[in-house]
């Protein structure tokens, strides 16, 4: 918080808290002074821990988000809701740059964002996180087979068991060699022909 100008620090706390404490469809104009105090205290409980505290609040947004669409196209605005909209559209000026930077960094490091996508005014240079669905498309493997392999090597946790392939995420950097091996592997049908 010491890195931020006071108005940006206080607004960060209020918006983190309002986004975590109140339903997404509740208009901010309807919040009372008591509600704003509650929101500010809740946001401060995260923000006082610095960048990692803000990242903890962002992980909480992701943990709470369960309304995934079958298309698998849920982006940052859907998951981070009001807080993302505030950062994207209402945080103009250098005073808010550190807040946008933390959110951008968190999104790129925890979500499967396509390279070239503009997130909070910055282009994503490379994909760090893969989903089972996108990885299977990229390497030409069946998602069921890929999922079994990723689970066996610990890339997916038991918490991912009930998630659709589009929302079962893993670190693409850490398992890049595995993905290459799977892509280059001989399919079972061809292996049986090769072995006679």
């Amino acid at each position: 918080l010491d890195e931020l100008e006071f108005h940006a620090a206080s607004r960060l706390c209020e918006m983190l808290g309002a986004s975590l404490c109140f339903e997404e469809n509740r208009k901010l104009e309807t919040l009372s002074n008591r509600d704003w105090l509650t929101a500010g205290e809740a946001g401060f409980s995260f923000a006082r821990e610095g960048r990692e505290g803000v990242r903890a609040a962002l992980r909480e947004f992701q943990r709470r988000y369960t309304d995934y669409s079958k298309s698998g196209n849920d982006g940052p605005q859907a998951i981070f809701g009001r807080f993302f909209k505030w950062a994207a559209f209402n945080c103009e000026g250098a005073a808010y740059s550190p807040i946008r930077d933390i959110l951008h960094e968190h999104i790129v490091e925890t979500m499967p964002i396509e390279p070239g996508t503009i997130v909070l005014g910055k282009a994503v240079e490379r994909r760090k996180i893969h989903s089972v669905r996108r990885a299977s498309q990229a390497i030409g493997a069946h998602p069921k087979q890929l999922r079994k392999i990723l689970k066996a090597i610990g890339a997916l946790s038991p918490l991912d068991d009930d998630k659709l392939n589009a929302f079962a995420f893993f670190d693409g950097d850490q398992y890049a060699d595995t993905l290459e091996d799977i892509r280059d592997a001989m399919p079972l049908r061809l292996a049986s022909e090769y072995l006679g």
Side-chain angles (χ1 to χ4, degrees):
L1 291 175
D2 290 344
E3 296 174 31
L4 299 174
E5 293 180 30
F6 180 77
H7 71 280
S10 63
R11 195 65 177 150
L12 167 64
C13 294
E14 289 176 340
M15 290 307 296
L16 267 180
S19 301
L20 288 167
C21 294
F22 303 109
E23 302 83 26
E24 181 69 21
N25 59 3
R26 182 158 177 200
K27 295 187 188 299
L28 294 178
E29 304 83 57
T30 66
L31 299 182
S32 67
N33 287 340
R34 170 58 64 190
D35 292 334
W36 279 114
L37 180 61
T38 300
E41 288 174 345
F44 179 72
S45 71
F46 287 99
R48 72 177 176 203
E49 301 298 328
R51 296 176 80 82
E52 193 44 49
V54 174
R55 295 282 299 259
L58 298 175
R59 285 191 295 276
E60 181 62 16
F61 285 119
Q62 290 171 303
R63 187 190 69 75
R64 290 182 184 187
Y65 186 75
T66 57
D67 195 23
Y68 289 107
S69 66
K70 292 200 187 261
S71 69
N73 294 325
D74 302 74
Q77 186 167 321
I79 293 169
F80 300 105
R82 158 186 303 137
F83 185 75
F84 180 87
K85 291 177 206 165
W86 171 73
F89 307 116
N90 298 330
C91 287
E92 296 176 4
Y96 293 100
S97 290
I99 298 167
R100 288 191 303 269
D101 290 346
I102 292 170
L103 183 53
H104 180 273
E105 180 182 290
H106 183 81
I107 289 167
V108 170
E109 291 179 3
T110 64
M111 296 180 68
I113 305 294
E114 293 285 335
T117 303
I118 304 297
V119 176
L120 298 168
K122 291 185 196 172
V124 174
E125 294 178 11
R126 66 184 185 80
R127 180 200 306 275
K128 179 169 174 42
I129 298 298
H130 289 275
S131 68
V132 171
R133 185 178 90 173
R134 293 257 167 85
S136 71
Q137 291 168 345
I139 65 173
H142 193 282
K144 266 188 177 177
Q145 177 194 26
L146 178 60
R147 194 172 186 127
K148 285 180 185 176
I149 294 168
L150 291 171
K151 188 168 180 186
I153 63 173
L156 296 176
S157 79
L159 298 175
D160 293 315
D161 288 350
D162 295 331
K163 292 181 182 174
L164 297 172
N165 290 330
F167 303 106
F169 302 149
F170 64 97
D171 187 324
D173 290 344
Q174 185 176 352
Y175 298 100
D177 291 341
T178 302
L179 292 178
E180 283 184 35
D181 289 345
I182 295 168
R183 185 187 63 221
D184 297 339
M186 185 180 290
L188 189 60
R189 180 183 52 77
L190 293 180
S192 67
E193 291 174 12
Y194 178 79
L195 293 171

